[in-house]
Amino acid sequence: VVFGRKEMYGYNTVKDDNDIQHFEIIPEEAEVIKKIFEWFASGEGTHRIGRRLEQQGITTKRYKNGWSNTVILRILRNEKYVGDLCQKKTFTPNYLTHAKKYNRGNEEMVYLKDHHEPIIDRDLWNRTQEELLRRAPTEEMKSKHSNRYWCSCKLYCGMCGQRYVSRTKKLKNGTTYKAWRCY
């Protein structure tokens, strides 16, 4: 059974006769997904891939700002494109509030290999994941940003336990407003 978002670039979710949801490939969008994976595996960056798709007039389904590097990275990390399915990425700790939390080891995830028809092959998926790891920032680079402010990584939300992060907002009168809020 497929849980989660109903619309995903490259796939539709359809119900069968038993009212169970399955993935169905959208051929035109699947071609775009293949291009994204191939371009990235061959060395192109996410910004360049996004710009290339925009220039070709290809639009996204959900994202109003178009093909940002975040959208491209989400596609490249999504195991559904290789035919796998990871369940329990989020969980609901309190059934009364129905508030979801990202599963960061709180509960065991369920990973189903070869669950549905893939858009890309396993070899391209593996090459892409290796390239993502190679380009990932080192621990030294991450530490430079995590201690930029005196209270970085020291403030945590009392409601959900996530870190507080710095946000800067520009007000209508031209001044800037700095605030800390839950991630």
Side-chain angles (χ1 to χ4, degrees):
V1 178
V2 178
F3 296 105
R5 279 201 179 97
K6 304 297 181 238
E7 57 181 47
M8 183 175 73
Y9 202 86
Y11 285 109
N12 266 335
T13 51
V14 293
K15 291 186 178 184
D16 64 9
D17 298 336
N18 298 329
D19 211 30
I20 297 175
Q21 287 188 354
H22 297 283
F23 287 119
E24 180 180 88
I25 293 177
I26 304 169
E28 308 81 45
E29 293 178 3
E31 289 304 314
V32 175
I33 295 296
K34 287 177 189 174
K35 286 179 189 177
I36 290 170
F37 274 89
E38 288 167 1
W39 291 336
F40 187 81
S42 68
E44 275 195 53
T46 54
H47 287 288
R48 185 176 284 175
I49 291 170
R51 226 180 9 248
R52 198 169 174 179
L53 292 169
E54 294 282 341
Q55 288 170 350
Q56 292 179 7
I58 300 169
T59 58
T60 64
K61 268 186 179 177
R62 271 182 45 223
Y63 304 102
K64 63 182 174 196
N65 294 334
W67 295 102
S68 67
N69 67 323
T70 307
V71 172
I72 302 293
L73 283 171
R74 279 188 182 157
I75 287 172
L76 294 171
R77 291 184 179 130
N78 194 336
E79 78 287 342
K80 290 177 186 79
Y81 294 117
V82 75
D84 297 348
L85 184 67
C86 184
Q87 297 284 359
K88 296 182 92 173
K89 290 180 184 176
T90 60
F91 69 103
T92 308
N94 185 343
Y95 66 91
L96 295 173
T97 62
H98 297 285
K100 287 185 179 181
K101 282 189 172 186
Y102 284 105
N103 187 359
R104 292 186 169 87
N106 306 75
E107 292 187 11
E108 191 174 338
M109 290 187 192
V110 178
Y111 196 89
L112 305 169
K113 223 171 181 181
D114 300 322
H115 174 266
H116 54 274
E117 185 181 354
I119 290 178
I120 61 162
D121 60 64
R122 185 80 49 191
D123 177 55
L124 181 57
W125 169 259
N126 291 336
R127 285 187 293 137
T128 303
Q129 300 315 300
E130 287 169 10
E131 187 66 17
L132 280 168
L133 279 174
R134 190 185 71 74
R135 295 187 198 185
T138 63
E139 289 302 317
E140 181 185 335
M141 289 172 68
K142 287 180 189 176
S143 70
K144 285 180 185 177
H145 298 289
S146 65
N147 57 15
R148 183 185 293 173
Y149 304 104
W150 69 269
C151 53
S152 294
C153 296
K154 295 176 185 166
L155 297 176
Y156 292 89
C157 179
M159 302 276 291
C160 68
Q162 291 293 320
R163 287 184 324 230
Y164 266 66
V165 292
S166 170
R167 293 289 180 241
T168 305
K169 206 176 200 182
K170 195 164 190 167
L171 301 174
K172 290 180 183 177
N173 64 7
T175 61
T176 56
Y177 169 76
K178 188 160 208 75
W180 290 82
R181 69 176 196 207
C182 177
Y183 176 74

